[in-house]
């Protein structure tokens, strides 16, 4: 009987110590997670990083941070490449260009741009345009095609202003 009491006391001591170790590990994990969340989402960027961005000017900025002028393109209405050819796409697009030179190039090469975008859009199918990822890829394809035509990376972004698939 004395032996049973002795083993029960050892079991309680081990269980109590294990409980405190688990609590300590959980508290440390919460603290590290809170610190990481604060640094990533709430803390201001370091001063030296902000200074290097300001000193760089426009030449050091990526295309996403540059601001340009919005130029509307004509609305495109094409048959989609679906079986039986009964679906069509109506697409309104505005293009953000880098400067006046790129804007002039869009006007100069309007026929090439219409031809290129009509061929691109008519090669798409309903399934190829129905997801959000497909729409983002379409915007990137349009930007790439326009940059090939006007050159010099003049197109910064493409915005879809109207999209109807029927």
């Amino acid at each position: 009987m004395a032996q049973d009491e002795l083993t029960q006391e050892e079991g309680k001591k081990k269980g109590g110590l294990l409980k405190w170790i688990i609590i300590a590990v959980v508290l440390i994990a919460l603290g590290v997670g809170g610190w990481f969340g604060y640094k990533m989402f709430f803390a201001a960027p370091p001063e030296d990083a902000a200074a290097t961005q300001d000193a760089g000017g426009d030449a050091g900025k990526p295309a996403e941070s540059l601001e340009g002028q919005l130029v509307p393109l004509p609305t495109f209405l094409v048959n989609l490449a679906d079986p039986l050819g009964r679906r069509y796409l109506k697409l309104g697009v505005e293009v953000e260009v880098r400067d006046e030179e790129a804007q002039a190039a869009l006007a100069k090469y309007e026929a090439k741009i219409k031809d290129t975008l009509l061929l691109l859009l008519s090669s798409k199918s309903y399934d190829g345009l129905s997801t959000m990822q497909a729409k983002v890829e379409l915007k990137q394809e349009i930007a790439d095609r326009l940059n090939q035509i006007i050159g010099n990376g003049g197109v910064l972004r493409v915005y879809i202003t109207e999209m109807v698939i029927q």
Side-chain angles (χ1 to χ4, degrees):
M1 189 128 149
Q3 190 73 342
D4 290 338
E5 289 177 13
L6 189 57
T7 56
Q8 282 181 347
E9 278 184 33
E10 287 179 10
K12 286 182 181 179
K13 287 182 184 177
K14 287 183 183 175
L17 182 61
L18 183 62
K19 178 174 67 172
W20 285 108
I21 291 174
I22 291 173
I23 289 173
V25 168
V26 167
L27 288 175
I28 291 172
L30 286 173
V32 169
W35 176 81
F36 179 75
Y38 171 76
K39 283 294 192 182
M40 291 300 292
F41 301 111
F42 298 115
E47 300 257 343
D48 58 345
T52 57
Q53 284 182 349
D54 292 340
D58 283 350
K61 291 184 181 179
E64 289 78 25
S65 65
L66 292 175
E67 291 186 20
Q69 301 168 342
L70 287 177
V71 178
L73 294 180
T75 302
F76 294 94
L77 183 63
V78 297
N79 289 331
L80 292 177
D82 280 328
L84 304 175
R86 294 186 180 179
R87 293 193 183 267
Y88 70 89
L89 167 69
K90 181 179 180 184
L91 185 72
V93 178
E94 288 197 21
V95 179
E96 186 174 1
V97 294
R98 184 178 306 275
D99 52 15
E100 297 284 333
E101 185 179 312
Q103 187 175 2
L106 279 177
K108 180 180 178 184
Y109 298 117
E110 185 176 358
K112 284 184 181 181
I113 291 169
K114 284 181 182 180
D115 177 60
T116 301
L117 293 183
L118 284 172
L119 290 175
L120 172 68
L121 295 173
S122 63
S123 70
K124 300 293 181 181
S125 66
Y126 174 75
D127 294 332
L129 292 173
S130 59
T131 64
M132 184 59 70
Q133 179 64 30
K135 291 174 181 129
V136 171
E137 289 173 4
L138 176 66
K139 288 170 57 171
Q140 186 60 45
E141 287 179 25
I142 291 172
D144 291 342
R145 300 272 174 109
L146 293 176
N147 278 325
Q148 286 176 354
I149 293 171
I150 66 171
N152 205 15
V155 174
L156 300 174
R157 291 177 206 89
V158 173
Y159 300 104
I160 297 176
T161 58
E162 179 182 13
M163 184 175 209
V164 178
I165 301 174
Q166 189 173 3

